[in-house]
């Protein structure tokens, strides 16, 4: 009986050690440089669009499948949008959308610390702060992401990523989200 218990304890300890090497959990945060390229019609009113600077924060897991390949699902709170400048208005109008974003990145390690990252992203609209009324705002946004990651140490990393929205922000406007993200994070 003691041998069975000892074997079970050794098996569990070995499994936990192997699992710790294959999956790492972490946190990340960073800055978004967001814009909304495309055409919007606001009842014939002329305007220009400019990007906004916002932020993202969230959790992730890096699942190492091969020596040079990993999958990294993330759960992020991310704000995106644009500033609309109307020719005849005294003030600018900011359209800020807050999303719960779920990117799933394939990471291809080119070196031990540098990785190429590509993958899809599904985002769900949580809130909308705007002075520009785009009626019928879409509550779902689908995007494709690409970027680079660099592990500075075994635990500390930085990432740069471009996210190209493939769905319209509103059913009444032909505008999509476009975001450049710069992140820093920590793996446990």
């Amino acid at each position: 009986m003691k041998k069975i218990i000892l074997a079970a304890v050794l098996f569990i300890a070995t499994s936990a050690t192997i699992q710790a090497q294959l999956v790492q959990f972490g946190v990340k945060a960073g800055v978004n440089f967001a814009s909304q390229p495309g055409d919007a019609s606001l009842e014939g009113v002329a305007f220009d669009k400019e990007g906004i600077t916002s932020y993202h924060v969230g959790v992730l897991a890096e699942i190492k499948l091969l020596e040079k390949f990993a999958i990294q699902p993330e759960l992020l709170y991310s704000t995106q949008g644009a500033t609309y400048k109307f020719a005849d208005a005294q003030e600018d109008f900011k359209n800020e959308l807050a999303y719960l974003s779920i990117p799933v990145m394939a990471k291809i390690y080119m070196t031990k610390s540098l990785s190429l990252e590509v993958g899809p992203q599904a985002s769900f609209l949580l809130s909308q702060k705007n002075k520009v009324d785009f009626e019928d705002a879409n509550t779902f946004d689908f995007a494709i992401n690409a970027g680079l990651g660099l592990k500075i140490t075994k635990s500390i990393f930085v990432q740069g990523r471009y996210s190209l929205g493939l769905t319209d922000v509103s059913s009444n406007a032909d505008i999509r989200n476009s975001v450049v993200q710069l992140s820093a994070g920590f793996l446990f």
Side-chain angles (χ1 to χ4, degrees), residues 65-126:
L65 300 177
L66 300 170
E67 183 180 341
K68 294 191 178 256
F69 182 75
I71 299 292
Q72 181 171 301
E74 301 174 2
L75 186 62
L76 303 175
Y77 177 82
S78 179
T79 56
Q80 302 169 25
T83 298
Y84 292 79
K85 297 183 176 241
F86 294 89
D88 58 350
Q90 294 287 334
E91 63 179 307
D92 301 334
F93 298 97
K94 187 175 181 180
N95 184 28
E96 187 175 301
L97 306 169
Y99 288 99
L100 177 65
S101 298
I102 307 168
V104 179
M105 306 301 289
K107 295 178 72 170
I108 302 161
Y109 280 92
M110 298 180 287
T111 68
K112 280 192 169 244
S113 58
L114 182 65
S115 62
L116 174 67
E117 304 174 1
V118 295
Q121 174 177 292
S123 298
F124 302 92
L125 185 64
L126 298 175

Side-chain angles (χ1 to χ4, degrees), residues 7-72:
V9 168
L10 287 174
F11 177 74
I12 292 170
T14 303
S15 296
T17 302
I18 290 171
Q19 190 76 344
Q21 293 173 356
L22 297 178
V23 178
Q24 284 187 290
F25 296 97
V27 294
K28 71 183 264 189
V31 63
N32 288 347
F33 300 101
S35 63
Q36 292 180 327
D39 296 323
S41 129
L42 296 174
E43 300 173 8
V45 177
F47 64 91
D48 292 323
K49 288 184 287 186
E50 289 185 3
I52 63 170
T53 303
S54 57
Y55 67 96
H56 63 275
V57 63
V59 296
L60 60 98
E62 182 178 294
I63 305 162
K64 197 93 168 195
L65 300 177
L66 300 170
E67 183 180 341
K68 294 191 178 256
F69 182 75
I71 299 292
Q72 181 171 301

